[in-house]
Amino acid sequence: NAGVTQTPKFRILKIGQSMTLQCTQDMNHNYMYWYRQDPGMGLKLIYYSVGAGITDKGEVPNGYNVSRSTTEDFPLRLELAAPSQTSVYFCASRPEGGTDTQYFGPGTRLTVL
Amino acid sequence: AQSVTQLGSHVSVSEGALVLLRCNYSSSVPPYLFWYVQYPNQGLQLLLKYTTGATLVKGINGFEAEFKKSETSFHLTKPSAHMSDAAEYFCAVSELGGSYIPTFGRGTSLIVHP
């Protein structure tokens, strides 16, 4: 299994540009998550999904959108990039809730200038 | 509601010394507790977790943690630090009863000196 894969690894955007961060998992996990990580702030949940066709907002959803058309894919869309969105983005998946471990991708480092 | 507090954003130890990373949680129902490790420029990976049963849990790389309900703590320890242990460590809590969103602490950076 490749686990959770994310593309791209690095990206520089100009203010106002748009982009999609890709996340794919091959473990047939129902639950998927998008986090952003800022220095000293831990992980902040952006959006999550409990299955194909079902998504919900996390703690910091403003400026982002997601979709979940398949079990495997959970892309994160930035429509109008702002400097405040400079961060490292992690995608994670989990078989079910509760006791199960989350599996994280390697992250995407995004800089908005 | 659940929350996690990690005491100390940075912990510095000498190689061979005891590692102690502190985590306190708040949960209205029995918690599930996790420690994850993040090496530089990588994603998080599970070190260990407590769900039910034995309160002392052992993880990878010689780490262990003890669930203490009376103290609402889940501190991470390792008897002897190694240079390769230098990383960011995150404590997380999920709740029994259907919460599918774990809450993470802010992380503790472990620095190991030769």
Side-chain angles (χ1 to χ4, degrees):
Chain A
N1 288 348
V4 180
T5 57
Q6 292 183 238
T7 57
K9 290 186 178 180
F10 303 94
R11 184 73 184 268
I12 298 175
L13 284 182
K14 295 182 179 179
I15 294 172
Q17 286 186 319
S18 300
M19 76 164 294
T20 299
L21 282 66
Q22 301 291 346
C23 174
T24 300
Q25 54 92 7
D26 62 358
M27 298 174 282
N28 201 34
H29 288 172
N30 287 325
Y31 299 94
M32 297 189 74
Y33 308 79
W34 273 107
Y35 294 92
R36 60 176 287 170
Q37 183 181 32
D38 301 301
M41 300 301 293
L43 295 173
K44 301 286 187 183
L45 182 66
I46 305 171
Y47 271 95
Y48 68 101
S49 170
V50 300
I54 306 170
T55 63
D56 208 346
K57 296 178 180 179
E59 183 181 0
V60 290
N62 291 345
Y64 308 94
N65 277 299
V66 294
S67 59
R68 184 96 182 268
S69 57
T70 66
T71 298
E72 294 77 21
D73 300 306
F74 190 42
L76 178 71
R77 178 82 177 163
L78 282 71
E79 289 295 348
L80 293 170
S84 61
Q85 294 177 306
T86 293
S87 189
V88 181
Y89 292 84
F90 289 99
C91 179
S93 71
R94 195 181 203 188
E96 296 291 340
T99 64
D100 287 319
T101 303
Q102 282 181 302
Y103 295 83
F104 285 81
T108 294
R109 187 175 296 274
L110 175 68
T111 302
V112 182
L113 301 173
Chain B
Q2 57 195 30
S3 65
V4 174
T5 302
Q6 291 184 242
L7 298 176
S9 58
H10 295 83
V11 170
S12 182
V13 300
S14 298
E15 191 173 21
L18 172 71
V19 175
L20 171 60
L21 304 182
R22 299 179 187 273
C23 173
N24 288 90
Y25 70 90
S26 173
S27 176
S28 56
V29 297
Y32 299 137
L33 296 159
F34 304 79
W35 275 101
Y36 289 86
V37 61
Q38 183 183 31
Y39 298 106
N41 301 313
Q42 294 186 26
L44 281 70
Q45 57 184 281
L46 183 72
L47 264 181
L48 50 80
K49 66 180 180 182
Y50 168 80
T51 55
T52 58
T55 57
L56 181 64
V57 293
K58 297 184 184 298
I60 61 172
N61 301 335
F63 284 93
E64 62 183 36
E66 187 171 10
F67 168 59
K68 291 187 176 181
K69 184 179 178 180
S70 61
E71 298 177 8
T72 60
S73 69
F74 191 56
H75 302 330
L76 181 71
T77 61
K78 182 175 180 177
S80 177
H82 192 272
M83 296 295 290
S84 61
D85 295 327
E88 190 87 13
Y89 292 80
F90 293 91
C91 183
V93 61
S94 286
E95 288 183 338
L96 174 68
S99 171
Y100 305 119
I101 308 173
T103 299
F104 284 83
R106 291 193 171 191
T108 298
S109 179
L110 178 64
I111 302 161
V112 183
H113 297 286

